[in-house]
Amino acid sequence: MIPQVESLVNSSKKLHDLSGDELLNLAAAENRLHGLPHMQHTVAHLNALKVNESLSLLYVYTEAFRLHVDWLKTAQENFSLPSQAAEGASAHLLKLSNLLNTSLQQMSEEVPQSPPPSLPVVSTAFDVLQFSVEISERLKVFCIWSKRVLLKLQKSPHCPRH
């Protein structure tokens, strides 16, 4: 799973094609995608993680991002904007989701289902750009959190070694 997360980091950086200065101006904009997950990443929270709960949470977060990235890809295509990066990110999220699903099933854990997110209407190409920046920034945080969780779980005595 860690290689998928690392590949996802690279894809997330390409969701928008902005320079550092341009990104600073847009990154300060209001977050409008309320369906994107907020990760708890304190040391106390990471130390309290259990394998089955962590994988379930990681699965739910992965699916939320996958739905948002697929929505972004469609919005980019609707405004004739490049969508290859979103397509790549979506593929990595799908692979990660499948790996998590398989792991949960192997542990005889129920695979959690999430309600579909409420996504805003995209009326301009600028909206698409703003959403791509928001998803990109939040996806980077998700990747850092996911990698920490997976590394923590890997060291856990309850984590099966493959």
Side-chain angles (χ1 to χ4, degrees):
M1 291 182 220
I2 292 173
Q4 286 304 319
V5 171
E6 290 172 348
S7 296
L8 191 54
V9 169
N10 294 329
S11 293
S12 71
K13 294 175 184 175
K14 300 173 187 171
L15 286 177
H16 55 77
D17 192 23
L18 298 175
S19 69
D21 290 337
E22 293 168 325
L23 185 58
L24 284 175
N25 291 332
L26 280 178
E30 173 188 349
N31 288 337
R32 299 187 296 170
L33 297 174
H34 304 294
L36 288 174
H38 293 276
M39 281 68 58
Q40 296 288 334
H41 54 275
T42 63
V43 172
H45 187 268
L46 287 174
N47 286 335
L49 293 175
K50 295 183 175 104
V51 174
N52 54 350
E53 293 170 5
S54 300
L55 290 179
S56 292
L57 189 59
L58 188 54
Y59 177 81
V60 168
Y61 288 175
T62 300
E63 281 297 294
F65 274 103
R66 190 177 65 80
L67 291 170
H68 279 81
V69 169
D70 287 347
W71 166 81
L72 176 64
K73 180 181 170 287
T74 301
Q76 289 171 329
E77 289 169 348
N78 289 343
F79 285 92
S80 300
L81 297 171
S83 61
Q84 296 84 356
E87 193 171 321
S90 178
H92 291 301
L93 286 163
L94 181 60
K95 288 177 188 173
L96 180 59
S97 177
N98 290 338
L99 290 168
L100 290 162
N101 186 325
T102 300
S103 295
L104 288 167
Q105 288 178 0
Q106 288 173 349
M107 295 169 43
S108 299
E109 289 290 325
E110 188 174 323
V111 178
Q113 300 301 314
S114 303
S118 174
L119 298 165
V121 175
V122 179
S123 52
T124 67
F126 185 71
D127 280 344
V128 176
L129 181 61
Q130 286 182 307
F131 290 129
S132 68
V133 169
E134 184 175 350
I135 291 172
S136 172
E137 295 302 307
R138 299 276 292 278
L139 193 53
K140 285 185 226 172
V141 172
F142 167 73
C143 289
I144 293 166
W145 178 85
S146 298
K147 191 169 178 180
R148 285 182 181 161
V149 168
L150 290 169
L151 289 170
K152 172 89 170 120
L153 294 178
Q154 197 174 43
K155 293 176 185 174
S156 168
H158 304 292
C159 182
R161 307 275 184 235
H162 296 285

